[in-house]
Amino acid sequence: EPSSTAIVEKPAGKVRRARELIRSLVEEEECFSTEKGAKAFGDVCAVDVLYEDCYEPQPILGRVDVTNHMLSKVKQRQNRGSVRIDRITDGDKACGFAWTWTSGTSEGLRGTTFIELNANTGEIQYIREIPEPLYKPGDLTLELLKAVTKDAQPKEPAQYEQRTPTMASDVAKYLFCDVQGSSVDESMRLFDDSIIYRDFNYEEVLRGKDEVRKFIEDFSFPGITFVPTKFDDGELSSCFTWEVTLEGAEDTIKGISLYEIDEVSRKITYVRDVPESAIKPPILGKLARQLRPGLGVFSGVPIGSREGGK
Protein backbone atom coordinates (compact mmCIF):
# COMPACT_ATOMS: atom_id res chain seq x y z
CA GLU A 1 0.00 0.00 0.00
CA PRO A 2 1.46 3.40 -0.94
CA SER A 3 2.44 5.48 2.05
CA SER A 4 0.66 8.75 2.61
CA THR A 5 3.97 10.58 2.84
CA ALA A 6 4.83 9.63 -0.73
CA ILE A 7 1.58 11.21 -1.86
CA VAL A 8 2.06 14.28 0.28
CA GLU A 9 5.58 15.19 -0.74
CA LYS A 10 5.17 14.92 -4.51
CA PRO A 11 5.18 16.51 -6.99
CA ALA A 12 8.26 18.29 -5.66
CA GLY A 13 8.76 22.01 -5.87
CA LYS A 14 5.13 23.02 -6.18
CA VAL A 15 3.27 24.90 -3.47
CA ARG A 16 -0.15 23.37 -2.99
CA ARG A 17 -2.12 26.06 -1.17
CA ALA A 18 -5.07 23.95 -0.05
CA ARG A 19 -2.92 21.04 1.09
CA GLU A 20 -0.44 23.23 2.97
CA LEU A 21 -3.23 25.20 4.67
CA ILE A 22 -4.97 22.05 5.88
CA ARG A 23 -1.72 20.50 7.13
CA SER A 24 -1.01 23.68 9.08
CA LEU A 25 -4.51 23.92 10.56
CA VAL A 26 -4.89 20.26 11.52
CA GLU A 27 -1.35 19.33 12.54
CA GLU A 28 0.17 22.57 13.80
CA GLU A 29 -2.84 24.57 15.00
CA GLU A 30 -4.74 21.40 16.07
CA CYS A 31 -8.00 22.98 14.90
CA PHE A 32 -10.13 19.96 15.82
CA SER A 33 -8.85 19.56 19.37
CA THR A 34 -7.84 23.00 20.73
CA GLU A 35 -9.78 26.26 21.13
CA LYS A 36 -6.89 28.26 19.70
CA GLY A 37 -6.82 26.00 16.64
CA ALA A 38 -10.59 26.16 16.15
CA LYS A 39 -10.40 29.96 16.13
CA ALA A 40 -7.45 29.86 13.71
CA PHE A 41 -9.61 27.73 11.40
CA GLY A 42 -12.40 30.29 11.54
CA ASP A 43 -9.95 33.11 10.85
CA VAL A 44 -9.07 31.67 7.42
CA CYS A 45 -12.68 31.04 6.39
CA ALA A 46 -14.56 33.27 3.97
CA VAL A 47 -17.38 35.36 5.47
CA ASP A 48 -19.94 33.22 3.60
CA VAL A 49 -18.20 29.86 4.12
CA LEU A 50 -20.45 26.79 3.90
CA TYR A 51 -19.64 23.78 6.11
CA GLU A 52 -21.52 20.59 5.25
CA ASP A 53 -20.76 18.56 8.36
CA CYS A 54 -22.71 15.43 7.42
CA TYR A 55 -22.85 14.33 11.06
CA GLU A 56 -25.14 17.29 11.71
CA PRO A 57 -28.78 17.72 10.56
CA GLN A 58 -28.11 21.01 8.73
CA PRO A 59 -25.11 22.69 7.06
CA ILE A 60 -23.40 25.56 8.90
CA LEU A 61 -23.21 28.87 7.04
CA GLY A 62 -20.96 31.86 7.70
CA ARG A 63 -17.62 32.43 9.41
CA VAL A 64 -19.06 33.14 12.86
CA ASP A 65 -21.22 30.03 12.99
CA VAL A 66 -18.48 27.84 11.51
CA THR A 67 -16.03 29.09 14.16
CA ASN A 68 -18.56 28.30 16.88
CA HIS A 69 -19.12 24.87 15.34
CA MET A 70 -15.39 24.15 15.40
CA LEU A 71 -15.28 25.26 19.05
CA SER A 72 -18.16 22.90 19.87
CA LYS A 73 -16.29 20.02 18.22
CA VAL A 74 -13.26 20.81 20.39
CA LYS A 75 -15.43 20.92 23.53
CA GLN A 76 -17.01 17.58 22.67
CA ARG A 77 -13.58 15.89 22.61
CA GLN A 78 -12.98 17.00 26.25
CA ASN A 79 -9.18 17.23 25.76
CA ARG A 80 -9.12 13.47 25.30
CA GLY A 81 -7.83 13.14 21.78
CA SER A 82 -6.69 14.66 18.52
CA VAL A 83 -7.15 14.19 14.77
CA ARG A 84 -4.50 12.48 12.65
CA ILE A 85 -4.20 13.06 8.91
CA ASP A 86 -3.74 9.66 7.24
CA ARG A 87 -3.83 10.76 3.62
CA ILE A 88 -4.07 14.18 2.02
CA THR A 89 -4.42 15.01 -1.65
CA ASP A 90 -1.99 17.32 -3.41
CA GLY A 91 -4.57 19.88 -4.45
CA ASP A 92 -3.97 23.61 -4.78
CA LYS A 93 -7.46 25.12 -5.21
CA ALA A 94 -9.08 22.39 -3.15
CA CYS A 95 -8.01 19.20 -1.42
CA GLY A 96 -9.28 16.39 0.73
CA PHE A 97 -7.89 14.40 3.60
CA ALA A 98 -8.59 11.09 5.28
CA TRP A 99 -8.46 11.32 9.07
CA THR A 100 -8.59 9.25 12.25
CA TRP A 101 -9.44 10.24 15.82
CA THR A 102 -6.67 9.25 18.19
CA SER A 103 -6.65 9.11 21.99
CA GLY A 104 -3.74 7.86 24.07
CA THR A 105 -2.58 4.53 22.69
CA SER A 106 -5.78 3.92 20.71
CA GLU A 107 -7.31 5.15 17.48
CA GLY A 108 -10.98 5.22 16.59
CA LEU A 109 -13.33 7.11 14.27
CA ARG A 110 -12.28 7.61 10.65
CA GLY A 111 -13.64 9.90 7.98
CA THR A 112 -12.89 12.18 5.05
CA THR A 113 -13.05 15.96 4.65
CA PHE A 114 -13.07 18.01 1.43
CA ILE A 115 -12.11 21.69 1.49
CA GLU A 116 -12.28 24.26 -1.32
CA LEU A 117 -10.59 27.66 -1.28
CA ASN A 118 -11.93 30.93 -2.64
CA ALA A 119 -10.10 31.41 -5.95
CA ASN A 120 -9.44 35.11 -5.27
CA THR A 121 -8.74 35.33 -1.55
CA GLY A 122 -7.43 31.85 -0.73
CA GLU A 123 -9.87 31.65 2.20
CA ILE A 124 -11.80 28.45 2.90
CA GLN A 125 -15.05 28.74 0.97
CA TYR A 126 -16.57 25.27 1.32
CA ILE A 127 -16.16 22.20 3.54
CA ARG A 128 -17.79 18.79 3.44
CA GLU A 129 -16.97 16.32 6.18
CA ILE A 130 -18.32 12.79 6.56
CA PRO A 131 -17.44 10.37 9.39
CA GLU A 132 -17.58 6.64 8.80
CA PRO A 133 -20.86 4.97 9.80
CA LEU A 134 -20.32 2.84 12.91
CA TYR A 135 -22.87 0.34 11.65
CA LYS A 136 -21.69 -0.88 8.28
CA PRO A 137 -24.63 -2.55 6.53
CA GLY A 138 -22.59 -4.25 3.81
CA ASP A 139 -24.67 -5.81 1.04
CA LEU A 140 -27.86 -4.66 2.76
CA THR A 141 -27.09 -1.22 1.29
CA LEU A 142 -27.14 -2.71 -2.18
CA GLU A 143 -30.44 -4.49 -1.58
CA LEU A 144 -32.08 -1.32 -0.24
CA LEU A 145 -30.92 0.76 -3.21
CA LYS A 146 -32.16 -1.87 -5.66
CA ALA A 147 -35.53 -2.00 -3.87
CA VAL A 148 -35.96 1.77 -4.25
CA THR A 149 -35.09 1.68 -7.97
CA LYS A 150 -36.89 -1.58 -8.85
CA ASP A 151 -39.11 0.11 -11.45
CA ALA A 152 -36.26 1.92 -13.23
CA GLN A 153 -35.71 1.04 -16.89
CA PRO A 154 -32.22 0.40 -18.31
CA LYS A 155 -30.78 3.33 -20.25
CA GLU A 156 -28.65 3.32 -23.36
CA PRO A 157 -24.94 3.06 -22.44
CA ALA A 158 -23.28 6.46 -22.20
CA GLN A 159 -21.12 7.46 -25.16
CA TYR A 160 -17.59 8.55 -24.36
CA GLU A 161 -14.28 9.22 -26.07
CA GLN A 162 -11.59 6.97 -24.65
CA ARG A 163 -8.80 8.83 -22.90
CA THR A 164 -5.99 7.94 -20.51
CA PRO A 165 -5.75 10.84 -18.03
CA THR A 166 -2.51 11.25 -16.09
CA MET A 167 -3.65 13.60 -13.30
CA ALA A 168 -5.58 12.02 -10.43
CA SER A 169 -8.32 14.66 -10.56
CA ASP A 170 -8.71 14.09 -14.30
CA VAL A 171 -8.88 10.32 -13.76
CA ALA A 172 -11.76 10.86 -11.32
CA LYS A 173 -13.55 13.24 -13.69
CA TYR A 174 -13.13 10.84 -16.61
CA LEU A 175 -14.57 7.90 -14.66
CA PHE A 176 -17.54 9.78 -13.19
CA CYS A 177 -18.35 12.32 -15.90
CA ASP A 178 -17.53 10.35 -19.07
CA VAL A 179 -17.39 6.59 -18.48
CA GLN A 180 -20.06 6.09 -15.79
CA GLY A 181 -23.02 4.19 -17.16
CA SER A 182 -21.14 2.65 -20.05
CA SER A 183 -18.20 0.26 -19.76
CA VAL A 184 -17.01 -1.42 -16.57
CA ASP A 185 -14.06 -2.70 -18.63
CA GLU A 186 -13.03 0.87 -19.37
CA SER A 187 -13.27 1.80 -15.70
CA MET A 188 -11.16 -1.21 -14.69
CA ARG A 189 -8.47 -0.27 -17.22
CA LEU A 190 -7.56 2.64 -14.95
CA PHE A 191 -7.15 0.54 -11.78
CA ASP A 192 -3.79 -0.88 -10.74
CA ASP A 193 -3.52 -4.61 -10.00
CA SER A 194 -2.60 -3.69 -6.41
CA ILE A 195 -5.75 -1.60 -5.85
CA ILE A 196 -7.02 -1.29 -2.27
CA TYR A 197 -10.59 -0.03 -2.13
CA ARG A 198 -12.22 1.08 1.12
CA ASP A 199 -15.97 1.65 1.01
CA PHE A 200 -17.33 2.49 4.44
CA ASN A 201 -20.58 0.65 3.81
CA TYR A 202 -18.47 -2.47 4.35
CA GLU A 203 -16.30 -3.71 7.23
CA GLU A 204 -13.51 -5.10 5.05
CA VAL A 205 -11.46 -3.45 2.31
CA LEU A 206 -11.54 -4.76 -1.25
CA ARG A 207 -8.19 -5.93 -2.60
CA GLY A 208 -7.27 -6.49 -6.23
CA LYS A 209 -9.09 -5.87 -9.49
CA ASP A 210 -11.39 -8.90 -9.27
CA GLU A 211 -12.98 -7.75 -6.00
CA VAL A 212 -13.20 -4.14 -7.22
CA ARG A 213 -14.78 -5.19 -10.52
CA LYS A 214 -17.50 -7.14 -8.72
CA PHE A 215 -18.16 -4.14 -6.46
CA ILE A 216 -18.50 -1.76 -9.43
CA GLU A 217 -20.72 -4.21 -11.30
CA ASP A 218 -22.92 -4.68 -8.22
CA PHE A 219 -23.53 -0.93 -7.97
CA SER A 220 -24.17 -0.49 -11.70
CA PHE A 221 -27.91 -1.03 -12.08
CA PRO A 222 -30.81 0.95 -13.61
CA GLY A 223 -31.96 3.94 -11.60
CA ILE A 224 -28.76 4.74 -9.69
CA THR A 225 -26.50 7.64 -10.69
CA PHE A 226 -23.43 9.03 -8.95
CA VAL A 227 -23.42 12.78 -9.60
CA PRO A 228 -20.06 14.43 -8.88
CA THR A 229 -20.41 17.93 -7.44
CA LYS A 230 -16.90 19.24 -6.67
CA PHE A 231 -13.40 18.05 -7.61
CA ASP A 232 -10.04 19.15 -6.30
CA ASP A 233 -7.10 19.65 -8.68
CA GLY A 234 -4.74 17.02 -7.28
CA GLU A 235 -2.05 15.38 -9.44
CA LEU A 236 -1.18 12.13 -7.67
CA SER A 237 -4.23 12.07 -5.42
CA SER A 238 -7.69 13.56 -5.69
CA CYS A 239 -10.72 14.13 -3.53
CA PHE A 240 -14.20 14.87 -4.81
CA THR A 241 -17.76 15.16 -3.54
CA TRP A 242 -20.81 13.46 -4.99
CA GLU A 243 -24.47 12.70 -4.56
CA VAL A 244 -26.25 9.46 -5.32
CA THR A 245 -29.59 10.00 -7.04
CA LEU A 246 -32.09 7.17 -7.10
CA GLU A 247 -34.97 6.96 -9.54
CA GLY A 248 -38.08 6.76 -7.39
CA ALA A 249 -36.60 8.67 -4.44
CA GLU A 250 -36.59 12.42 -3.79
CA ASP A 251 -33.68 12.53 -1.38
CA THR A 252 -30.07 12.14 -2.46
CA ILE A 253 -27.18 10.57 -0.54
CA LYS A 254 -24.07 12.74 -0.18
CA GLY A 255 -20.59 11.28 -0.19
CA ILE A 256 -16.86 11.88 -0.59
CA SER A 257 -14.23 9.86 -2.44
CA LEU A 258 -10.45 10.02 -2.22
CA TYR A 259 -8.28 8.49 -4.97
CA GLU A 260 -4.54 7.90 -5.17
CA ILE A 261 -2.69 6.96 -8.35
CA ASP A 262 0.70 5.37 -8.96
CA GLU A 263 3.40 7.91 -9.81
CA VAL A 264 4.65 5.87 -12.79
CA SER A 265 1.68 3.95 -14.21
CA ARG A 266 -0.86 6.67 -13.26
CA LYS A 267 -3.33 3.92 -12.41
CA ILE A 268 -5.51 4.01 -9.29
CA THR A 269 -3.91 2.30 -6.29
CA TYR A 270 -6.22 3.40 -3.46
CA VAL A 271 -9.84 4.51 -3.09
CA ARG A 272 -11.79 5.59 -0.01
CA ASP A 273 -15.56 6.15 -0.32
CA VAL A 274 -17.62 7.45 2.59
CA PRO A 275 -21.42 8.01 2.39
CA GLU A 276 -23.42 10.16 4.78
CA SER A 277 -25.77 8.63 7.32
CA ALA A 278 -29.50 8.81 6.60
CA ILE A 279 -30.14 9.83 10.23
CA LYS A 280 -28.31 12.90 11.58
CA PRO A 281 -26.70 12.75 13.95
CA PRO A 282 -26.44 8.96 13.52
CA ILE A 283 -27.73 7.21 16.65
CA LEU A 284 -24.73 4.95 17.22
CA GLY A 285 -22.26 7.68 16.32
CA LYS A 286 -23.80 10.13 18.80
CA LEU A 287 -23.83 7.55 21.58
CA ALA A 288 -20.21 6.57 20.92
CA ARG A 289 -19.09 10.22 21.03
CA GLN A 290 -20.86 10.66 24.37
CA LEU A 291 -19.36 7.52 25.88
CA ARG A 292 -15.89 7.74 24.29
CA PRO A 293 -15.30 11.41 23.38
CA GLY A 294 -11.66 10.83 22.58
CA LEU A 295 -12.24 7.96 20.14
CA GLY A 296 -15.76 8.47 18.78
CA VAL A 297 -16.26 4.70 18.58
CA PHE A 298 -17.27 2.11 21.18
CA SER A 299 -13.98 0.22 21.01
CA GLY A 300 -10.72 1.55 19.62
CA VAL A 301 -7.80 -0.31 18.07
CA PRO A 302 -4.08 0.12 18.82
CA ILE A 303 -2.43 3.23 17.39
CA GLY A 304 -0.88 2.52 13.98
CA SER A 305 -2.67 -0.80 13.46
CA ARG A 306 -4.52 0.54 10.40
CA GLU A 307 -1.76 1.89 8.18
CA GLY A 308 -2.89 4.89 6.18
CA GLY A 309 -6.25 4.82 7.97
CA LYS A 310 -7.40 1.88 5.86
Side-chain angles (χ1 to χ4, degrees):
E1 183 175 1
S3 69
S4 55
T5 50
I7 296 301
V8 167
E9 300 304 330
K10 297 171 183 175
K14 293 185 179 180
V15 174
R16 300 285 168 180
R17 292 175 302 167
R19 181 188 65 188
E20 303 314 324
L21 177 61
I22 293 313
R23 276 210 168 282
S24 172
L25 288 171
V26 177
E27 296 180 339
E28 295 170 24
E29 301 286 355
E30 298 182 297
C31 62
F32 291 108
S33 50
T34 69
E35 283 192 12
K36 177 174 173 287
K39 290 175 182 175
F41 186 97
D43 287 345
V44 294
C45 284
V47 172
D48 58 348
V49 60
L50 177 66
Y51 193 157
E52 285 188 319
D53 185 337
C54 292
Y55 174 81
E56 302 291 344
Q58 298 294 331
I60 298 99
L61 179 63
R63 182 191 291 158
V64 173
D65 285 352
V66 165
T67 303
N68 288 335
H69 181 57
M70 291 296 292
L71 287 167
S72 72
K73 289 162 86 72
V74 169
K75 185 178 180 181
Q76 184 270 320
R77 297 296 296 279
Q78 299 178 21
N79 292 317
R80 296 188 189 179
S82 58
V83 171
R84 182 184 72 209
I85 293 178
D86 294 314
R87 301 166 181 273
I88 185 166
T89 67
D90 54 359
D92 178 55
K93 298 173 183 176
C95 81
F97 63 101
W99 47 263
T100 297
W101 284 16
T102 62
S103 181
T105 59
S106 298
E107 59 181 68
L109 187 70
R110 295 165 293 181
T112 306
T113 301
F114 175 92
I115 291 188
E116 181 180 58
L117 304 185
N118 181 291
N120 297 319
T121 65
E123 294 173 314
I124 296 173
Q125 186 76 55
Y126 171 82
I127 308 136
R128 176 181 287 181
E129 177 179 301
I130 307 182
E132 66 174 312
L134 297 197
Y135 170 65
K136 298 178 173 57
D139 285 337
L140 180 61
T141 301
L142 186 61
E143 300 310 314
L144 288 171
L145 296 179
K146 284 185 174 180
V148 171
T149 59
K150 64 182 186 300
D151 296 326
Q153 297 299 310
K155 294 180 180 177
E156 286 292 316
Q159 299 297 308
Y160 65 93
E161 183 178 335
Q162 188 180 61
R163 295 187 291 115
T164 305
T166 57
M167 276 184 57
S169 51
D170 288 338
V171 170
K173 288 176 185 174
Y174 178 62
L175 288 178
F176 278 82
C177 300
D178 297 3
V179 179
Q180 184 188 182
S182 57
S183 169
V184 175
D185 286 342
E186 178 62 8
S187 295
M188 294 310 303
R189 185 174 68 86
L190 300 184
F191 284 91
D192 194 83
D193 290 338
S194 66
I195 178 66
I196 293 176
Y197 197 121
R198 156 64 73 189
D199 184 288
F200 276 122
N201 280 314
Y202 293 83
E203 288 287 353
E204 302 299 326
V205 297
L206 304 171
R207 296 179 183 273
K209 292 178 78 169
D210 288 347
E211 290 187 8
V212 172
R213 171 183 278 276
K214 182 181 184 305
F215 175 79
I216 292 175
E217 288 175 344
D218 284 347
F219 280 87
S220 300
F221 53 85
I224 185 170
T225 307
F226 288 82
V227 181
T229 48
K230 289 180 180 288
F231 290 92
D232 72 7
D233 53 349
E235 290 195 22
L236 290 177
S237 46
S238 180
C239 192
F240 57 100
T241 62
W242 43 263
E243 294 183 359
V244 175
T245 63
L246 300 169
E247 202 172 310
E250 290 185 14
D251 294 335
T252 61
I253 303 163
K254 293 183 174 71
I256 306 176
S257 290
L258 188 150
Y259 280 28
E260 292 176 354
I261 64 174
D262 181 79
E263 187 182 3
V264 178
S265 73
R266 301 287 163 156
K267 291 188 175 183
I268 304 163
T269 54
Y270 179 83
V271 174
R272 174 190 274 200
D273 294 339
V274 57
E276 68 175 348
S277 171
I279 300 171
K280 298 177 184 177
I283 296 165
L284 289 179
K286 183 177 181 181
L287 184 58
R289 292 186 191 204
Q290 290 170 344
L291 293 174
R292 307 289 299 277
L295 290 174
V297 296
F298 294 109
S299 181
V301 298
I303 282 271
S305 61
R306 302 181 299 203
E307 184 186 352
K310 65 185 179 185

